Amino acid sequence: MVVKRASIEPNFHPLYFALLEKLNKPQLYKMILKATHDNIRVLLQSEKIKTNSGERSLLKNLGSWLGQLTIARNKPLLFKDLDIISLIYDAYKTGRMIAVLPFVSKVVEPVKISKVFRPPNPWTTAILQLFAEIYSADDLKLNLKFEIEMLFKSMKDMSNTEIKISDMKPTINTLKNYQRAKVDNPDFAMEKAPPAATKASAATTDSAPQSPTSAATSALSTKDSEEREAASSGPVNLQAFVQVSPQLAAVAERLQLKRLVPVAVDRAIREVISPVVERSVTIACMTTRELVLKDFSMEGDEDKLRKAAYLMASSLAGSLALVTCKEPFRSSLATALRQLLQPAGLEQQALEQAVQLAANGNLDLGCALIEKAATDKAVRDIDEALNSAYVARRKAATAGQQFADVALLAQARFPQTLPDVLRPKPCRLSPRQLRLYEDYAKIGRTIVPPTGGSKGTTGTSQDGVARQEAVLPEADKKQTTAKPEVAPLQATQFSTQQVLEKISSCMARVEAVVQKDPNAAFEALPPDNDLRLAVGEMIDLMSKSSNRDEVIVAVAVLVLKKLFEGVPRRLGVGVYLGLLKSCKQMNEKVPRELTKLYGSLSEEQQLNRDLAELLVGSRLLLVPEFDALLVKHLQGPRFAHALELAVQLIRQCVVAKPVVSPLEMAGTLDVLSKVASRPGAPEAIQQLIERVRSMFPAKDAMKAPPGAVPARKGESDGLRQRVIMLFDEWTRIIDAPAGMKYHASFAQQVQQSGFLKDDETVEHMFGILTEICVAHCLSSASGAGQGQFSFVAVDALSRLIVMLSRFVGERGASGMSVRAGLLARALSAATTVLHRHASERNIAFNSRPYFRLFAGILHELSIPDPQLDSSNFAVLTAFAGLLQATQPSRVPVFCFAWLELVSHRHFMPKLLLAPNQKGWSLLERLLTAILRFMEPQLRNAELSDPIRLLYRGVLRVLLVLLHDFPEFLCDHHFMLCDAIPSSCVQMRNLVLSAFPRNMRLPDPFTPNLKVDLLPEISQAPRIVVDAGAAIGDTQLRADIDKYLKSRMPATLLQDLKSHFLYSPTDAAANGCRYNMHLINAVVLYIGMQAIQQLHNKTSQLPVQVNQGVPMEIFLWLVAELDPEGRYMFLSSVANQLRYPNNHTHYYSCVLLYLFSESSQELVKEQITRVLLERLIVNRPHPWGLLITFIELIKNPRYSFWSHSFTRCAPEIERLFESVARSCMGATKPGEEDLTSKIAASTASA
């Protein structure tokens, strides 16, 4: 409990204490307390607690556990077990307070609920006084100060008075009596190296000019701890430069973000800097050294060599560090922020939002500091690497000789194919070649350093260097400015005025081109046309502006004015409309600004029908505000022109291409309805209004939400209005006191109203409600802010569906089918709406409302209820039907939400725990659906970002199943592996590694393991699939059965090969020539028949496996199939190598026998490839795979190491040795090493 639970699951501590209370075993309590002390002592003695956050987290969790075991129960911490005061003093001396203070805080935290240990208890007071003295120490890290502050905030004395740090008197033994570590001390900021070390460092570089450094990197050395200390100048400096997003202004003070964000940045930098800097600098210095020695082999000027090396090494190291550190730093920063902000008690969603905003705002600061550390270390390291080259050039200069690196020129290590311009020559570099090195200083790389303000702005890279230097002490600033050779990064952004001037120039070019051919179509222009290049240049300029949003709005306004100037030309309209759409994509404020400008235009311009239709149809204007403006014109003196515009807009944007909903044009439709009702009204307007009403069947078309349900035959016009009134009544009583009584009467009212009289009415009612709630949710995003939806209506609908499903029909089991049927029809209605919206909106489809609806229903059904809940199998079947109907192959845009629903904690576990495993087949169909959907993309391993993310999600679902329900993977491995593409080796390994929980796997690395003597090896695994039915072709199955008995028909083997091949059309569609599904089914079927025959003969398997018709078939296939077909056949055999059972044993023997008996080297190489590719991926590895490969490489019978393919290349040979070493386990003392084993195996062969 202590090691596996308490130390890693602090959230479950109350549960474990409740268990101990319930058990009431004093002896158990003593044993747990002893184990806690033992593990705490181990952690406190570990050196890792200073550098490893995981070790510190374990210690902190155990501190909380120990405090609850003792202090919270008014039981003392015995001096012999743990001396808190001495522990703190020792931590102060050795630099371990980073781990010890949080631990002690957690131990002492329960004091606030203790009757015995609350202050002024002497023991507690002494600890608090010591904490107060530590708090006042100079340069103490902010994270430790924060721990102390949090402890004092939770402390109250006997009179419930809050204890302040300032109230604590100093302890008798002050910290001045203890000398703390000065080097590599993570508890204090800005710790300097001893003078002796500094002098020694200076002495090593005395012979060369001082390289540029900074305080953040002055102490950087090869030691990891020094690298971490060097990169972050400590939170004291960082605190002035971190950024807090304006969106967090409301909670910044309460969360103490100005204090905590620097601590998190410091932690994150320390965690990632060592490997990043070491790797980047090593690669950069090795590359630089080789190139400069080659290029400067005839250059005797030491300064030129040094300058070129500095420029190249610093640029390469900085670029590599920046690319390498970004994602790890982002992840580490988010983790650190999450740990620091969790005590604030925020909701999970708000916490994640705050973490992401704070992490994104300070990402560039941390990356800039890490990059600076890498560049500075690279300059120092390249100096050391080239020291001998410097000395050689000095000697030549002293002797007055011309320098030449004859040894390097004489070496024949440069390939003959190296271009002549790059080959070393017996002459100095030309100015053009030297310029290549100077250009390293001109490489533009945008760095966004902190500005010190609350609003982050993108500055130039020169400003970035200046701001980074502002963090550093003066001594290192002088060093930085003393070496101008390493130039600052070039600016890549422009001011607002510069951008507008350049865009005006581009607009003039556009106008000139448009005048030449005004009637051309912009869409038909080639990509290299001057007009397209000018538009692309304008978009690029807007993205590079230092004030991007302001420039985009200004450009959009300018373009709209140009659009309405003069006579519109086809080409000009196409160009300007495309620009406006690009501006809208880059800044969502553009439509609002364009609407304001449109309202200020002249009436003639506002009533321009063609331009207004284009702007409204492209949604470049806010349609409700445009509708209000159009209504004013319809009521004004220019009624005739406004009426023509209104009719054209409704006809084109509402009816012909429904990009605008009637609800958005409600005012215009109202006026048109009144015009159509007048005597003598134009027939065209009357027909248009009737058309709108027929499309949106509510009593008033203007009240219909977007995409309203089409009217069904015989449906009354008032049905929608009745449904809306019903839902409105439900929202009023949903949370009323004594709600169940109201719910029962409301369900009765719904039944009496006739909404539940037949299936068609039920589905149509829920369809209308689904559309209304989804429309409400989607429309709420514009009011609540980008990405923020209001799910009030969707949640109310989910509760309504569950409530009606529970209250209809008779009470008890007799009405269960009626209630489950109503739920199924409600889900079917929602599915229909989802399908229609997905097909209409395509990539604009938003799945969040539907996911919330279905997840809400699952959540409501998770509440136990005798009438209907999610433990009812009919409910699970209904949801499985919903997921089957919305599977990714049918609704691809819903795939992420779909996978989340499949793995939902209220669905998948209950489906798998259903009686008699009735739900297993349902889950297997769902998993194979997502696997077959991904198969075309996974087949060639060319993954887009969405497919890669979806793949990771499926992998995690399978990992959960492997951990919690391995029997499911065992039973359904055939169908799952049949759906997994051959390129997904790790995913297939994960499925095949499952074994029953009641089985203890034998260690495959056991010396002289006798697999055939294992008791499990004679047991047959549970195979739920009918292998014969999986073949599909009944005639082929009958021929196989006949051939296994009598070797007739003689043509079966040739027929089998032709059956395996796809037709050319199917081969093109499936991306391969062979039917892998049929091969899998045939291999399993023949193997099962062979195993049955062997057991019927009651003989030992190994003796008989190489005899009989099945092995003849396998031998013929492996010999006659081409390499592609043979690979698929061998992969199918390897798919049966799983946990210990007779299938695993049989197919392992088959593979080994095929390897042994085949006369073709290519066959043996392919068998090895099939096994090896499954072993070189990450764990887990199937047990049967391991024992097969170990047998193959260790048994002299197979002469594995004598085959040429094991030594065809040095890389292949090293790979085989590495895998062999891994498979045979670590060499024990006294045993022969792997090389000896291989040599012995080869010799015996």
Side-chain angles (χ1 to χ4, degrees), residues 21 71 101 108 215 235 264 399 405 436 464 573 594 649 670 687 776 864 1019 1054 1057 1090:
E21 291 287 349
I71 308 298
L101 287 194
V108 179
D405 193 346
L436 291 175
V573 170
L594 293 182
L649 283 176
D670 188 33
Q687 292 176 352
H776 174 274
Q1019 299 173 5
Q1054 291 293 342
K1057 182 179 179 181

Side-chain angles (χ1 to χ4, degrees), residues 860-904:
E860 291 295 321
L861 288 169
S862 67
I863 302 172
D865 190 281
Q867 307 306 325
L868 193 73
D869 58 26
S870 55
S871 63
N872 187 288
F873 188 68
V875 171
L876 298 173
T877 304
F879 261 95
L882 157 75
L883 294 169
Q884 197 68 32
T886 58
Q887 61 180 275
S889 59
R890 298 180 182 178
V891 193
V893 290
F894 190 63
C895 61
F896 288 98
W898 184 90
L899 182 60
E900 188 75 18
L901 288 171
V902 169
S903 58
H904 199 282

Side-chain angles (χ1 to χ4, degrees), residues 1086-1159:
I1086 293 176
M1088 292 177 69
Q1089 297 297 318
I1091 293 171
Q1092 186 63 40
Q1093 292 176 9
L1094 291 172
H1095 282 280
N1096 289 342
K1097 295 177 182 179
T1098 63
S1099 56
Q1100 290 296 320
L1101 193 60
V1103 177
Q1104 300 293 333
V1105 72
N1106 58 353
Q1107 301 176 11
V1109 181
M1111 186 57 72
E1112 293 177 10
I1113 297 176
F1114 290 156
L1115 282 169
W1116 189 91
L1117 288 174
V1118 84
E1120 297 300 324
L1121 289 175
D1122 62 17
E1124 181 185 0
R1126 187 186 303 117
Y1127 172 76
M1128 291 188 173
F1129 166 72
L1130 294 173
S1131 294
S1132 181
V1133 174
N1135 285 349
Q1136 308 305 320
L1137 303 178
R1138 302 189 289 145
Y1139 63 92
N1141 57 66
N1142 58 9
H1143 280 210
T1144 297
H1145 191 204
Y1146 174 77
Y1147 285 102
S1148 175
C1149 293
V1150 166
L1151 273 180
L1152 294 171
Y1153 184 75
L1154 292 176
F1155 187 94
S1156 172
E1157 296 300 317
S1158 176
S1159 59

Side-chain angles (χ1 to χ4, degrees), residues 225-460:
S225 59
E226 292 176 6
E227 286 179 356
R228 289 194 298 271
E229 190 65 37
S232 62
S233 55
V236 174
N237 288 332
L238 288 175
Q239 191 168 9
F241 295 94
V242 295
Q243 290 179 295
V244 177
S245 171
Q247 299 181 42
L248 297 175
V251 295
E253 186 174 351
R254 180 164 70 89
L255 296 179
Q256 300 185 15
L257 291 180
K258 276 293 184 182
R259 282 175 169 268
L260 297 184
V261 174
V263 176
V265 172
D266 181 68
R267 286 184 184 177
I269 290 176
R270 289 173 180 278
E271 187 170 339
V272 305
I273 189 172
S274 297
V276 169
V277 170
E278 189 63 38
R279 182 174 181 272
S280 305
V281 171
T282 301
I283 294 173
C285 288
M286 289 178 64
T287 306
T288 302
R289 180 180 179 278
E290 294 298 320
L291 287 178
V292 298
L293 288 179
K294 173 182 74 70
D295 291 343
F296 290 82
S297 57
M298 296 294 294
E299 179 58 65
D301 191 337
E302 177 187 345
D303 291 336
K304 284 186 179 181
L305 175 65
R306 180 179 289 107
K307 178 181 176 181
Y310 282 177
L311 290 169
M312 183 176 182
S314 61
S315 180
L316 287 181
S319 299
L320 278 171
L322 190 62
V323 171
T324 309
C325 78
K326 198 158 195 176
E327 288 308 317
F329 178 72
R330 187 200 303 273
S331 176
S332 297
L333 181 55
T335 302
L337 284 167
R338 196 174 290 111
Q339 291 174 351
L340 292 171
L341 295 179
Q342 273 179 345
L346 286 179
E347 294 182 0
Q348 187 64 29
Q349 184 176 358
L351 174 64
E352 287 302 320
Q353 185 179 4
V355 166
Q356 293 304 321
L357 286 172
N360 291 337
N362 294 280
L363 179 63
D364 294 306
L365 169 63
C367 290
L369 290 173
I370 294 174
E371 180 188 9
K372 190 69 170 64
T375 57
D376 292 348
K377 187 174 190 297
V379 170
R380 288 197 308 277
D381 285 7
I382 196 63
D383 252 350
E384 295 177 7
L386 296 175
N387 190 47
S388 59
Y390 298 154
V391 172
R393 282 160 176 79
R394 285 196 210 106
K395 287 181 179 178
T398 304
Q401 300 174 353
Q402 176 68 34
F403 176 80
D405 193 346
V406 181
L408 185 137
L409 292 172
Q411 291 177 4
R413 60 194 182 97
F414 300 107
Q416 295 298 322
T417 55
L418 194 68
D420 185 63
V421 71
L422 299 179
R423 298 182 64 80
K425 300 180 181 65
C427 61
R428 296 191 174 188
L429 290 184
S430 66
R432 181 183 175 188
Q433 291 171 315
L434 281 173
R435 199 176 305 121
L436 291 175
Y437 286 94
E438 293 170 358
D439 286 345
Y440 277 109
K442 302 176 183 178
I443 295 176
R445 184 167 63 250
T446 302
I447 300 178
V448 187
T451 63
S454 60
K455 182 178 180 181
T457 59
T458 306
T460 63

Side-chain angles (χ1 to χ4, degrees), residues 66-227:
L66 179 62
Q68 293 292 332
L69 279 174
T70 55
I71 308 298
R73 299 184 176 204
N74 296 318
K75 295 184 178 180
L77 268 173
L78 299 181
F79 181 86
K80 65 178 182 179
D81 293 326
L82 186 63
D83 182 4
I84 295 287
I85 303 293
S86 299
L87 178 64
I88 297 174
Y89 280 129
D90 183 67
Y92 176 81
K93 291 190 297 182
T94 58
R96 293 169 176 253
M97 287 198 299
I98 190 175
V100 170
L101 287 194
F103 164 71
V104 175
S105 296
K106 285 296 181 182
V107 174
V108 179
E109 195 176 55
V111 162
K112 59 188 177 183
I113 61 172
S114 173
K115 295 180 180 179
V116 176
F117 294 100
R118 291 178 74 174
N121 180 284
W123 180 80
T124 307
T125 303
I127 294 175
L128 295 180
Q129 287 175 343
L130 184 53
F131 268 45
E133 188 171 1
I134 292 173
Y135 184 85
S136 62
D138 294 335
D139 297 330
L140 184 69
K141 287 288 182 71
L142 282 181
N143 57 333
L144 297 180
K145 286 196 174 187
F146 178 72
E147 288 284 355
I148 297 173
E149 288 173 0
M150 293 300 294
L151 176 63
F152 273 90
K153 280 189 177 181
S154 66
M155 285 292 168
K156 292 184 180 179
D157 58 18
M158 290 295 185
S159 59
N160 273 343
T161 303
E162 186 174 330
I163 301 175
K164 298 180 179 179
I165 299 178
S166 57
D167 297 338
M168 286 290 107
K169 297 178 181 179
T171 52
I172 298 174
N173 291 323
T174 62
L175 294 175
K176 296 178 182 179
N177 300 329
Y178 295 88
Q179 184 68 30
R180 71 168 186 251
K182 294 295 184 181
V183 179
D184 195 19
N185 190 335
D187 301 333
F188 295 89
M190 302 292 291
E191 289 292 337
K192 303 290 185 180
T198 307
K199 291 177 183 177
S201 174
T204 60
T205 57
D206 228 10
S207 59
Q210 182 66 30
S211 61
T213 57
S214 67
T217 53
S218 60
L220 196 64
S221 67
T222 55
K223 294 183 180 179
D224 290 352
S225 59
E226 292 176 6
E227 286 179 356

